[in-house]
Amino acid sequence: MGSFAGGGLPPDDVVVTALRAGDEAMFATLLDTWSGGMLRVARSYVSTDHSAEEVVQDTWLAVIGGIDGFEGRSSVKTWVYRILVNTAKKRGVRESRTLPWSAFEQDGVPVTEFGTGDGWKEAAAVWPSPEGEALASEVRRLIAEALGRLPPRQRIVITLRDVEGCTSDEVCEILEISAANQRVLLHRARTTVRGRLAGYFESVKQPE
Amino acid sequence: MKAVNVVKRFTCDELVELITAYLDDALDQPEREGVQVHLAACAGCGRHFEQFRATIDALGDPLPEKLPTDVRDRLMSAFRERHRP
Ligand SMILES: [Zn+2]
């Protein structure tokens, strides 16, 4: 699980006090714990690795500049991720890669794997457990590809929830969407990714 | 009329649309029990449900990502600069 589940951090008040006092070790810990996940989230909005790195860098610079004014109305990580998402959105719009948020309503069209021809029931076989390293890396590659093809809002929600391990409440707060909306986007995204994996496992199935 | 012990019945098509809500514990009790009853009785939906969960597990195991060293160094200096006495 990604950054949010990466437990080991002290409570927020300790983190905030340390950052305000200029505790470099604490800042380094946050950087190393969260930046990987932040890169993945940034990639949902911008087109290149370089842009994603800049978004994460600009986010941390804003955190450094803003920590004295942090009011603790949300958790530190939610605050950081909100800055990240806002930074990434602006950057994405500038790159014209992402559409304005309001244009994403087309995500609401129920496109599921049911429409792709192979009914889910026929494909509902038992999957091999991805024990082998080769299988695991192939599954990761497929997932990365599937995420890249999702409509933007679905991609950001499934990345925050399932890849980074945010709770439903955290995602709603970061993206300022309702719980119901969040769930619909997440379910569509998961359904698509499951369909992609099912197709793969079907294609590599050993003849019985 | 008491709502207790009421179990909702779902078709397979309805059931698969409820999995995320079920996993998030966002269903009311008759719905939740309806999902459980259906999953226990329907092999196709049971496997679909397991695949759904396997998908979520796989999503949570991505390749590790790291900030490039030069970016990390730059950020550490920025932090240090800010707090220089
Ligand atoms: Zn069924």
Side-chain angles (χ1 to χ4, degrees), chain A residues 23-197:
Chain A
D23 182 335
E24 285 179 38
M26 181 64 80
F27 184 67
T29 302
L30 287 190
L31 265 188
D32 295 337
T33 309
W34 289 347
S35 292
M38 289 164 71
L39 281 169
R40 284 190 209 99
V41 172
R43 262 191 216 112
S44 306
Y45 291 90
V46 299
S47 45
T48 66
D49 285 349
H50 181 71
S51 293
E53 284 158 14
E54 285 201 347
V55 165
V56 173
Q57 173 181 288
D58 291 351
T59 301
W60 282 118
L61 290 174
V63 168
I64 293 169
I67 190 66
D68 287 344
F70 174 69
E71 291 173 7
R73 278 181 300 201
S74 64
S75 68
V76 174
K77 66 187 179 184
T78 301
W79 177 64
V80 171
Y81 268 64
R82 282 184 67 130
I83 297 173
L84 175 77
V85 164
N86 287 325
T87 308
K89 261 195 229 175
K90 273 185 223 147
R91 174 88 188 211
V93 169
R94 217 162 57 231
E95 287 182 357
S96 307
R97 175 177 179 269
T98 51
L99 301 163
W101 201 237
S102 59
F104 294 166
E105 291 313 321
Q106 63 197 22
D107 288 6
V109 178
V111 183
T112 68
E113 71 208 86
F114 306 135
T116 63
D118 50 352
W120 60 272
K121 276 199 143 176
E122 291 72 39
V126 177
W127 289 356
S129 57
E131 284 156 355
E133 205 38 55
L135 182 58
S137 75
E138 181 61 10
V139 165
R140 281 177 175 148
R141 195 190 62 74
L142 280 170
I143 286 177
E145 192 186 277
L147 292 179
R149 288 184 189 170
L150 289 173
R153 290 183 76 185
Q154 291 185 29
R155 179 175 178 178
I156 182 69
V157 169
I158 197 173
T159 300
L160 286 168
R161 275 297 302 273
D162 290 343
V163 185
E164 299 313 317
C166 297
T167 65
S168 166
D169 287 348
E170 286 168 339
V171 175
C172 292
E173 203 181 338
I174 292 165
L175 300 178
E176 296 177 299
I177 57 178
S178 71
N181 193 5
Q182 187 256 170
R183 199 172 308 121
V184 168
L185 293 167
L186 178 63
H187 187 74
R188 296 216 170 101
R190 285 171 169 175
T191 299
T192 301
V193 175
R194 190 214 70 93
R196 188 77 187 83
L197 289 180

Side-chain angles (χ1 to χ4, degrees), chain A residues 1-2 18-24 27-28 31-32 35-36 39-40 43 53 56-57 60-61 64-65 67-68 112-114 120-121 123-127 139-140 143 147 158 161-163 168 182-183 186-187 190-191 193-194 197-198, chain B residues 12-13 15-27 38 42-68 70-80 82-83:
Chain A
M1 197 68 63
L19 290 182
R20 284 179 181 159
D23 182 335
E24 285 179 38
F27 184 67
L31 265 188
D32 295 337
S35 292
L39 281 169
R40 284 190 209 99
R43 262 191 216 112
E53 284 158 14
V56 173
Q57 173 181 288
W60 282 118
L61 290 174
I64 293 169
I67 190 66
D68 287 344
T112 68
E113 71 208 86
F114 306 135
W120 60 272
K121 276 199 143 176
V126 177
W127 289 356
V139 165
R140 281 177 175 148
I143 286 177
L147 292 179
I158 197 173
R161 275 297 302 273
D162 290 343
V163 185
S168 166
Q182 187 256 170
R183 199 172 308 121
L186 178 63
H187 187 74
R190 285 171 169 175
T191 299
V193 175
R194 190 214 70 93
L197 289 180
Chain B
C12 295
D13 285 345
L15 187 115
V16 292
E17 289 305 319
L18 291 173
I19 297 176
T20 292
Y22 175 73
L23 291 174
D24 271 0
D25 209 9
L27 298 177
H38 187 118
C42 175
C45 285
R47 277 196 299 272
H48 182 88
F49 179 74
E50 287 313 316
Q51 291 177 359
F52 211 83
R53 279 219 290 227
T55 300
I56 296 166
D57 287 347
L59 280 159
D61 181 31
L63 280 180
E65 295 233 27
K66 264 177 80 177
L67 216 47
D70 59 323
V71 177
R72 189 183 183 281
D73 290 348
R74 217 173 298 142
L75 288 167
M76 286 307 297
S77 324
F79 185 79
R80 220 169 285 132
R82 167 112 186 156
H83 294 278

